[in-house]
Amino acid sequence: MSKFLHQCVLTHATSKLRAGMNENLKIEHLKSHIDFNFDKNKDYFLYIHVPFCNEFCTFCSFHKQKYEKSICKEYFKSLRDELKQAKSRGFSFNTLYVGGGTPFIDSDELLKTIELAKKLFDIKDVSSESSPNHIDPKDIQRFSGVVDRLSVGVQTFDDELLKKIGRYERYGSSKILQERLSNIAGILPITSLDLIFNMPGQSSQTLLNDIRIAKNLQVEQITTYPLMQSKLIGQSLKESFKTIKNSNEFEFYKIIRDELKEYSMNNAWSFSKSSTKLSDEYTVSESEYIGIGSGAFTYINNQLFINSYDINKYKSMIESGQNSIVAKCSRFTLKESAEYHFLLELFGGCVDISKFNETFKVYLEDTLRFEILALKLCGAVTIKDDKIQPTFFGEFLSAMLMKEFYMGMDNVRHTLREYYK
Ligand SMILES: C[S@@+](CC[C@H](N)C(=O)[O-])C[C@H]1O[C@@H](n2cnc3c(N)ncnc32)[C@H](O)[C@@H]1O
Ligand code: SF4
């Protein structure tokens, strides 16, 4: 299929998703406390948010605030209280992802919190994010047997780009980053490294160098996020790059896939040296998740709930024995929910039709008849033996749709941030 037609498909699909998200992710700020129903016999995916950073990066839209030692310590204590409350409400969790912000900003507190989570729940695997200035080997060693995967945000190994995104002074040059990473590779079962592609000013050669350096570091996982330019960060990106344009996504994606062809795919933008899969933050099979901490999202029963962005309010709600939900979006319809799960599965590499129908109580061939037909006609998927498999173009398309999806979620963050100003 021609480049032009691919571009048309991409433009149409992303604008349809964007319109759908604008329509369906309308936030309702709650006037009184609410709770949601959950299944006491089900193991859920648990997300814990640690919203503290020493400094902010221009490209990042996540919920965060400036680190202050005592506030952060109190916050971790509230997280542990919230974990105990979840236990007494009857939740079960089998997977934990700690994201930020910078979870390792106070590693003593982080360790205590993860250990408590593992004591309370039968958690099988734990992932945590970190920034490159909190990866001291001695410190990381203490997490051996506690954290299975450490995901470190590198973004690029190019000194000029690092300067533009304000990380050169903060986290060091490419050389320093490589030294830091090589000192911790192998301490935990999986060290994962985040890169961003399609940054303004990034060339094919810089991206190729980034991937080659990441491979040489012998880390188990490499995640390559396309730059997400939501309105939340548009202005700060413009200030740091002077432009926000770079539209070489498909070319860049081809470079990534070609360079990582011996790796197995966890999903359309994450690659592993071996085929061991650990649940990603951008979770595929476990599409319901419970969020703990300020600004964390919960997605359950086809509905999104959002915890207080205000850390003091979060703390006082937890102290009073409530959850900290302050906003929600309207419940997805059956069709919207099927579209959401279909995208996640496609992004994960395969839609098993029977399994999908059984899990989500739909008849996929009917509910998404036109969408599947369109994907087939434009060469994005093949259908064989009850499975819908993305082609190379389909994988790229699913990555771009996921990007659009996360930019839509950023708009939710934007609304909340404005509300709490
Ligand atoms: C929530 S951040 C936490 C990372 C960690 N605090 C650090 O600075 O290394 C997790 C990852 O999301 C990715 N990310 C954040 N903002 C992004 C954006 N606008 N576009 C693409 N990826 C982004 C980055 O790769 C980052 O490492
Ligand atoms: S990328 Fe990491 S360090 Fe930078 S602002 Fe986002 S969470 Fe904080």
Side-chain angles (χ1 to χ4, degrees):
M1 183 175 258
S2 76
K3 213 171 153 181
F4 174 72
L5 273 173
H6 275 169
Q7 193 53 48
C8 292
V9 172
L10 187 61
T11 310
H12 175 73
T14 48
S15 51
K16 189 169 175 278
L17 180 64
R18 191 175 310 156
M21 289 191 78
N22 285 341
E23 181 58 34
N24 298 318
L25 285 180
K26 294 227 169 73
I27 295 169
E28 184 192 335
H29 296 281
L30 301 166
K31 296 202 173 53
S32 55
H33 173 249
I34 60 158
D35 218 334
F36 50 80
N37 294 325
F38 63 96
D39 182 352
K40 287 198 175 172
N41 297 314
K42 186 174 167 180
D43 285 332
Y44 288 95
F45 180 102
L46 172 63
Y47 175 79
I48 297 183
H49 194 71
V50 181
F52 298 98
C53 297
N54 297 109
E55 301 285 340
F56 298 155
C57 308
T58 48
F59 58 85
C60 176
S61 58
F62 287 81
H63 169 48
K64 57 200 179 288
Q65 72 169 59
K66 276 265 159 71
Y67 172 66
E68 275 181 54
K69 193 174 172 186
S70 60
I71 295 179
C72 181
K73 285 211 177 289
E74 281 176 28
Y75 178 79
F76 268 106
K77 186 185 167 301
S78 301
L79 285 179
R80 292 192 288 274
D81 289 343
E82 197 178 357
L83 282 170
K84 288 180 206 151
Q85 287 165 12
K87 176 72 184 177
S88 57
R89 283 191 191 127
F91 277 102
S92 297
F93 302 119
N94 58 2
T95 311
L96 168 61
Y97 190 101
V98 192
T102 318
F104 273 80
I105 208 155
D106 187 332
S107 58
D108 290 341
E109 293 290 337
L110 177 67
L111 187 57
K112 252 199 256 178
T113 308
I114 300 178
E115 281 176 340
L116 175 69
K118 289 182 92 159
K119 201 170 130 198
L120 294 173
F121 306 102
D122 191 15
I123 292 176
K124 305 273 189 307
D125 72 69
V126 179
S127 300
S128 179
E129 293 174 353
S130 182
S131 56
N133 59 343
H134 292 283
I135 52 169
D136 173 61
K138 275 205 196 105
D139 208 18
I140 301 296
Q141 199 81 54
R142 299 192 299 148
F143 287 80
S144 175
V146 178
V147 167
D148 304 279
R149 178 177 58 176
L150 177 68
S151 166
V152 186
V154 170
Q155 325 314 351
T156 174
F157 288 106
D158 183 77
D159 283 340
E160 290 315 306
L161 282 173
L162 285 170
K163 283 177 193 163
K164 282 192 175 151
I165 55 175
R167 288 173 72 108
Y168 183 93
E169 299 76 15
R170 230 175 291 149
Y171 303 138
S173 63
S174 170
K175 191 162 168 276
I176 291 172
L177 287 175
Q178 290 174 54
E179 271 167 24
R180 286 189 180 161
L181 283 155
S182 61
N183 290 339
I184 58 147
I187 297 182
L188 300 178
I190 296 181
T191 303
S192 177
L193 190 155
D194 298 340
L195 297 173
I196 298 183
F197 70 95
N198 202 37
M199 284 188 269
Q202 188 176 33
S203 66
S204 304
Q205 194 53 50
T206 38
L207 176 64
L208 198 58
N209 288 345
D210 283 352
I211 302 169
R212 290 190 176 156
I213 293 172
K215 279 167 74 179
N216 277 339
L217 286 167
Q218 300 293 326
V219 291
E220 286 75 20
Q221 253 183 36
I222 302 173
T223 302
T224 55
Y225 296 112
L227 179 67
M228 301 172 200
Q229 306 185 16
S230 60
K231 60 182 172 200
L232 199 56
I233 52 161
Q235 191 52 33
S236 65
L237 274 180
K238 222 179 208 160
E239 278 159 20
S240 44
F241 287 109
K242 308 293 173 232
T243 166
I244 51 166
K245 286 209 177 66
N246 198 355
S247 47
N248 292 329
E249 274 165 331
F250 193 48
E251 291 313 307
F252 284 147
Y253 192 69
K254 282 198 280 198
I255 291 172
I256 293 166
R257 292 294 303 275
D258 193 44
E259 207 44 40
L260 294 174
K261 57 179 175 289
E262 327 79 78
Y263 283 56
S264 61
M265 280 173 84
N266 305 325
N267 56 48
W269 63 40
S270 172
F271 309 87
S272 285
K273 256 167 67 175
S274 73
S275 55
T276 342
K277 262 198 176 182
L278 269 191
S279 307
D280 204 300
E281 176 193 11
Y282 303 126
T283 179
V284 175
S285 49
E286 302 178 63
S287 49
E288 289 197 311
Y289 49 87
I290 308 298
I292 275 187
S294 167
F297 293 172
T298 292
Y299 181 75
I300 191 165
N301 309 327
N302 296 324
Q303 196 165 14
L304 192 68
F305 298 90
I306 302 139
N307 293 348
S308 172
Y309 259 48
D310 180 317
I311 298 221
N312 290 327
K313 184 162 185 195
Y314 162 73
K315 200 173 144 236
S316 67
M317 287 175 90
I318 297 302
E319 270 167 10
S320 69
Q322 303 171 0
N323 64 42
S324 71
I325 296 170
V326 290
K328 65 173 185 171
C329 295
S330 49
R331 195 182 293 271
F332 284 179
T333 62
L334 197 67
K335 165 119 185 182
E336 286 157 2
S337 152
E339 284 173 342
Y340 166 64
H341 291 116
F342 183 78
L343 170 59
L344 290 186
E345 299 280 322
L346 202 66
F347 177 69
C350 177
V351 187
D352 182 321
I353 300 175
S354 305
K355 221 169 118 193
F356 190 98
N357 289 345
E358 199 188 312
T359 312
F360 303 112
K361 312 278 176 273
V362 287
Y363 186 60
L364 196 55
E365 300 91 320
D366 206 19
T367 318
L368 298 184
R369 187 180 335 139
F370 293 113
E371 289 78 357
I372 294 171
L373 183 67
L375 287 171
K376 209 174 146 193
L377 287 177
C378 74
V381 300
T382 57
I383 307 176
K384 201 174 157 212
D385 299 335
D386 203 34
K387 293 196 171 51
I388 304 176
Q389 209 97 39
T391 58
F392 182 79
F393 171 63
E395 285 161 351
F396 172 68
L397 182 67
S398 73
M400 293 303 108
L401 290 173
M402 275 311 271
K403 178 186 93 165
E404 198 58 49
F405 175 77
Y406 282 102
M407 282 164 53
M409 297 300 273
D410 267 0
N411 291 337
V412 174
R413 292 190 185 98
H414 178 67
T415 312
L416 284 152
R417 199 183 285 181
E418 290 298 304
Y419 187 79
Y420 280 109
K421 258 184 181 171

